[in-house]
Every structure is written in structure tokens, then in C-alpha cells.
Amino acid sequence: MPAAALKPKPLPTQSTAKHPVLFDSPYEPVVKRPLPAGRPREWYVTHNRRLKAMRLAIALLDSGIYQPAQAHDDTIRSTAEEIGMRPPSDTTCHMVRAFMRYNR
């Protein structure tokens, strides 16, 4: 029997890295570029909300929260405070969980 067949398969939430990965902390936002002009206001609101939700989802993953069920509104808001963001709305918190759920 091959040696690879004897190794247990890691759980989906376990890291397969041979050494710990260091994360950049504290969070520094990337340089902002101007958004394209001429779109409806709702497009800009949704676009910025998605960017904020994605940044929060990445910060939660970096902090060890891998499941959407672990990401309660208060957890998301405290993470936002840690990385220097304004507290997200309920809609943005819902979007963070959706990113964690569907981007696996």
C-alpha cells in the first residue's frame, strides 16, 4: 500500500502548511483608486459594501473564524474595530457570512 494512502486526510478547516504562516498585522488598506464615473448611486453603495465585507471576511479568516455560523454580528463588528473600520451594518454582516459560505 502506498505511503500516501496511510496519511489521514486533513479536515477542511485544518491548515496543510508545513510551518506557520505569518499574517501582516495591523491591517493597512491598499491605495484607493477612483471609481468609474456615470453609474447610479446604488451601484457605488453596493460596490463599497462588497469591498468592506470582503475585507472583513479575510480578517475573520486570518483570526481563525472559518465557519459562517461562528461569525456573529458582534464578532464581525469587533473585528472591524480591531482593523480600524467603522462598524458594519446588519446587511454588511450578512454579506460577510455569505462570502464565507460561498467562496469556499
Side-chain angles (χ1 to χ4, degrees):
M1 184 178 294
L6 299 175
K7 287 185 179 180
K9 186 176 178 182
L11 295 172
T13 57
Q14 283 182 322
S15 173
T16 57
K18 301 290 185 227
H19 51 83
V21 179
L22 298 175
F23 294 109
D24 296 333
S25 190
Y27 167 78
E28 287 185 30
V30 294
V31 178
K32 294 184 179 181
R33 298 181 309 194
L35 293 174
R39 306 255 172 125
R41 184 178 190 285
E42 189 58 35
W43 183 88
Y44 297 104
V45 171
T46 304
H47 175 77
N48 289 330
R49 182 168 296 186
R50 282 186 187 135
L51 290 178
K52 184 174 188 174
M54 192 167 298
R55 280 190 224 103
L56 283 168
I58 291 168
L60 286 168
L61 291 170
D62 287 349
S63 69
I65 296 175
Y66 301 108
Q67 301 294 325
Q70 296 172 315
H72 302 290
D73 287 354
D74 56 337
T75 306
I76 296 171
R77 289 187 177 110
S78 66
T79 303
E81 185 178 330
E82 284 178 22
I83 62 175
M85 279 186 184
R86 290 184 54 162
S89 66
D90 292 341
T91 305
T92 306
C93 290
H94 180 76
M95 196 176 281
V96 169
R97 286 188 288 276
F99 273 127
M100 294 175 76
R101 186 175 300 116
Y102 296 117
N103 288 334
R104 295 195 78 173

